[in-house]
């Protein structure tokens, strides 16, 4: 596992790239030129954040290889997620989207995948139990490798080297050789995604996610904590409810939903060549689907309505999402909704707001009103992570649990003021006992950041902080 102390000038994925022209005001004429959408028509448009691949031929070979490999997910599964998200858009369900900031080629074991799934399942139990609403579970997993950067290069020890763009592009070691974009990584990322997905399918459909296993998801280092004990109480009540149903003569074995969960995958659709190569025509409907994941999103740096990323996602039938930061204007956002959700289809588009705790109260309501007026039935979700990152005195990128919670509270308040359903949360977390984010019930302090700081990119909540957060979100949801 690699991690390095980050100097204050470290290239973060929070700050906006400086550009000579405003990317949100690009003319629409070029987009019209490619109004006949194909998986490759994005190539005629300006594409932000693409790596400068040094070897064109090697890139072509990698993309050709990818386009011949089997799909990772099926169109029917993507449609099932869209329907589940339509339930969220209607205020009948809640979305929990969570996982790593960036998956790593080094931290790739059955245990780390299982432990991430455990904490997501625990959070879902807490939210479902606490609110009585179904929770749609989506991982930032099995494909979340590529990272947008605020600058294409950085200076390390006086040498300018390309920025780290995620293991799908280059290595994080701070040397010019390691940072050279390598197209064979695209194929490696595909294979890692396939293995991850295989394990997730086995875990979620093969007995591990059975509701009778609810105690087992509480990891040892979590169960002794206050939030772990709170979780145990719920788990005990679920046990009692199951025993009660069995005693009433209900055949629990026949109830599939007690033994399996639907778990979906998602990632930022950043490296468009990769996404194009995995986009396939659905034999059932004839529509195009990006089979690299169930849900794809455009990030804060690539959400230009006339840019290549939005154009690419406009043509696939998957449910899609967009990150929305504090610089977004109502006009920009409505233009983006028009591109991504022309049919005003419930479940098609999720807007993931990441304003920062101090800005959400002011920035979000005008955006929500504009989208409401435009008639797009979007899911509103809150990413309380990316607007609240700062660098500690010791040089670590971090976030404070209290800021994360404050942004979620502000999001709920904004939704209440506009009459929108606070549809979900989008969290960067891990099942491990890392010390990357400050605060929480058993407080992580600045000095603790040195203990277990292993993220490949942004700081993640550990399993206890994540569970604690789920209880707080359930309380906010109950408070209506
Ligand atoms: C991310 O989700 O890791 C990310 C880079 O987010 P954003 O595009 O919102 O900055
Ligand atoms: Co991140």
């Amino acid at each position: 596992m690699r991690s390095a102390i980050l100097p204050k000038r470290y290239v973060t994925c929070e700050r906006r790239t400086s550009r000579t022209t405003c990317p949100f005001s690009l003319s629409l004429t070029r987009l019209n030129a490619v109004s006949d959408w194909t998986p490759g028509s994005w190539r005629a448009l300006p594409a932000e954040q693409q790596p400068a691949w040094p070897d064109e031929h090697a890139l072509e070979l990698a993309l050709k290889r990818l386009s011949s490999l089997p799909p990772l997910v099926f169109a029917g599964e993507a449609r099932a997620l869209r329907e589940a998200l339509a339930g969220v858009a209607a205020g009948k369900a809640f979305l929990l989207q969570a996982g790593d900031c960036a998956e790593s080629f080094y931290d790739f074991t059955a245990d780390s995948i299982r432990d991430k799934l455990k904490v997501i399942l625990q959070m879902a139990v807490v939210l479902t139990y606490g609110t009585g609403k179904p929770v749609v579970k989506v991982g930032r997993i099995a494909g979340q490798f590529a990272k947008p950067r605020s600058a294409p290069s950085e200076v390390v020890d006086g040498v300018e080297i390309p920025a780290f763009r995620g293991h799908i592009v280059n290595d994080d070691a701070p040397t010019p050789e390691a940072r050279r974009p390598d197209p064979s990584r695209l194929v490696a990322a595909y294979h890692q995604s396939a293995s991850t997905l295989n394990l997730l399918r086995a875990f979620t459909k093969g007995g591990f996610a059975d509701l009778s296993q609810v105690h087992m998801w509480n990891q040892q280092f979590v169960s002794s904590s206050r939030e772990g004990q709170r979780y145990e109480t719920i788990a005990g009540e679920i046990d009692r409810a199951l025993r009660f149903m069995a005693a009433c003569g209900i055949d629990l074995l026949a109830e599939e939903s007690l033994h399996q969960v639907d778990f979906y995958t998602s990632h930022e659709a950043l490296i468009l060549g990769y996404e194009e190569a995995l986009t396939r025509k659905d034999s059932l409907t004839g529509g195009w689907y990006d089979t690299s994941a169930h849900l794809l999103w455009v990030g804060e740096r690539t959400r230009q309505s006339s840019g290549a990323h939005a154009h690419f996602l406009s043509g696939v039938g998957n449910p899609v999402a967009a990150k929305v930061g504090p610089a977004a204007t109502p006009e920009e956002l409505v233009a983006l909704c028009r591109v991504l959700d022309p049919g005003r289809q419930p479940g098609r588009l999720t807007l993931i707001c990441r304003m920062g705790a101090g800005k959400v109260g002011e920035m979000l309501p005008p955006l929500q009103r504009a989208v409401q007026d435009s008639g797009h039935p979007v899911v509103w979700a809150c990413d309380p992570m990316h607007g609240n990152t700062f660098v500690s005195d010791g040089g670590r990128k971090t976030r404070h649990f209290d800021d994360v919670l404050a942004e979620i509270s502000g999001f709920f308040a904004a939704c209440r003021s506009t009459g929108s359903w606070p549809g979900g949360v989008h969290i960067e977390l891990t099942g491990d006992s890392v010390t990357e984010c400050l605060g929480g019930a058993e407080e992580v302090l600045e000095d603790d950041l040195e203990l277990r700081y292993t993220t490949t990119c942004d700081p993640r909540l550990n399993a206890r902080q994540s569970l604690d957060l789920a209880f707080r979100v359930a309380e906010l949801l109950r408070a209506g």
Side-chain angles (χ1 to χ4, degrees):
M1 176 91 45
R2 315 213 177 194
S3 76
I5 298 213
L6 308 173
K8 292 221 183 212
R9 56 167 165 62
Y10 185 78
V11 181
T12 76
C13 73
E14 275 73 42
R15 270 171 281 139
R16 184 179 297 292
T17 317
S18 58
R19 300 186 186 90
T20 44
T21 54
C22 170
F24 299 100
S25 61
L26 287 166
S27 117
L28 283 176
T29 47
R30 274 190 285 181
L31 184 62
N32 293 338
V34 288
S35 56
D36 287 334
W37 189 95
T38 68
S41 53
W42 62 270
R43 291 175 183 276
L45 292 168
E48 299 276 325
Q49 298 283 342
Q50 301 308 289
W53 301 103
D55 183 343
E56 270 295 320
H57 182 61
L59 176 63
E60 261 171 49
L61 286 181
L63 294 179
K64 198 161 165 228
R65 174 84 188 116
L66 281 174
S67 51
S68 70
L69 289 169
L72 292 174
V73 304
F74 294 123
E77 296 172 328
R79 281 193 290 274
L81 174 57
R82 201 187 61 216
E83 274 160 34
L85 290 171
V88 179
K92 296 185 183 139
F94 193 73
L95 167 67
L96 173 62
Q97 188 175 13
D100 266 315
C101 176
E103 288 174 90
S104 162
F105 280 7
Y106 301 112
D107 179 20
F108 174 41
T109 63
D111 286 1
S112 75
I113 296 165
R114 181 203 57 205
D115 292 347
K116 223 165 288 166
L117 181 64
K118 271 184 182 175
V119 74
I120 295 174
L121 292 176
Q122 280 190 293
M123 291 174 81
V125 160
V126 169
L127 288 163
T128 310
Y129 194 83
T131 65
K133 290 208 192 282
V135 172
V136 180
K137 294 167 273 300
V138 180
R140 279 175 69 113
I141 199 165
Q144 174 51 25
F145 290 104
K147 296 317 298 175
R149 306 318 309 227
S150 52
S153 64
E154 63 179 321
V155 177
V156 176
D157 296 334
V159 182
E160 185 172 5
I161 58 172
F164 171 54
R165 291 183 177 274
H167 284 159
I168 192 170
V169 175
N170 56 8
D171 194 79
D172 49 310
T175 66
E177 303 75 46
R179 294 290 174 85
R180 189 181 146 91
D182 174 0
S184 72
R185 287 174 169 270
L186 295 165
V187 181
Y190 166 90
H191 287 300
Q192 183 164 326
S193 302
S195 309
T196 305
L197 197 50
N198 181 50
L199 204 58
L200 288 171
R201 290 188 194 281
F203 278 140
T204 54
K205 302 291 176 191
F208 181 82
D210 192 301
L211 212 45
S212 66
Q213 302 293 310
V214 69
H215 291 281
M216 233 190 49
W217 307 336
N218 213 2
Q219 300 186 72
Q220 227 162 22
F221 70 91
V222 179
S223 59
S224 56
S225 67
R226 195 176 56 92
E227 51 280 8
Q229 299 281 306
R230 234 177 133 182
Y231 174 81
E232 274 303 313
T233 307
I234 292 183
E237 284 173 24
I238 291 172
D239 273 348
R240 264 195 299 283
L242 291 175
R243 281 200 299 273
F244 173 75
M245 287 196 289
C248 293
I250 296 169
D251 181 1
L252 298 185
L253 279 178
E255 287 298 325
E256 200 181 87
S257 58
L258 296 177
H259 309 295
Q260 303 188 348
V261 301
D262 291 330
F263 186 84
Y264 299 98
T265 60
S266 69
H267 62 256
E268 177 172 354
L270 189 69
I271 310 295
L272 290 175
Y274 177 85
E275 303 303 334
E276 174 187 349
L278 286 168
T279 296
R280 310 287 161 81
K281 202 167 229 176
D282 173 30
S283 53
L284 212 62
T285 61
W288 291 101
Y289 282 81
D290 184 344
T291 66
S292 71
H294 299 109
L295 178 145
L296 287 313
W297 77 82
V298 285
E300 169 65 358
R301 288 158 199 76
T302 52
R303 63 170 164 78
Q304 304 85 348
S305 59
S306 52
H309 292 82
H311 174 75
F312 174 76
L313 286 190
S314 74
V316 297
N318 309 55
V320 298
K323 293 288 200 82
V324 184
T329 65
E331 297 72 34
E332 268 169 29
L333 194 54
V334 170
L336 185 60
C337 290
R338 263 201 300 273
V339 172
L340 292 179
D341 177 36
R344 294 185 167 80
Q345 185 181 33
R348 159 72 177 172
L349 178 59
T350 297
L351 296 177
I352 306 166
C353 310
R354 31 89 82 221
M355 303 287 167
K359 294 191 178 146
V360 62
E362 182 195 344
M363 308 306 297
L364 188 53
L367 297 174
Q368 292 194 316
R369 285 195 197 96
V371 173
Q372 272 169 359
D373 291 348
S374 71
H376 292 278
V378 304
V379 168
W380 291 102
C382 173
D383 165 358
M385 316 299 293
H386 289 89
N388 295 309
T389 316
F390 62 94
V391 179
S392 73
D393 289 341
R396 294 288 191 189
K397 252 204 292 185
T398 190
R399 294 154 173 161
H400 202 291
F401 185 83
D402 292 349
D403 295 335
V404 169
L405 201 59
E407 178 152 1
I408 297 180
S409 302
F411 169 77
F412 272 75
C415 289
R416 244 193 327 272
S417 76
T418 59
S420 313
W421 168 242
V425 287
H426 180 114
I427 308 291
E428 286 183 346
L429 57 69
T430 170
D432 303 332
S433 163
V434 299
T435 53
E436 297 171 5
C437 290
L438 300 169
E442 180 148 318
E443 202 172 352
V444 173
L445 302 169
E446 281 223 23
D447 285 348
D448 301 331
L449 294 178
E450 298 311 313
L451 297 177
R452 290 177 299 280
Y453 193 100
T454 60
T455 183
T456 316
C457 192
D458 288 339
R460 304 157 298 176
L461 296 181
N462 63 33
R464 293 176 52 174
Q465 290 167 325
S466 304
L467 192 55
D468 195 359
L469 190 77
F471 279 111
R472 313 286 189 107
V473 173
E475 278 158 19
L476 283 167
L477 272 166
R478 269 201 306 270

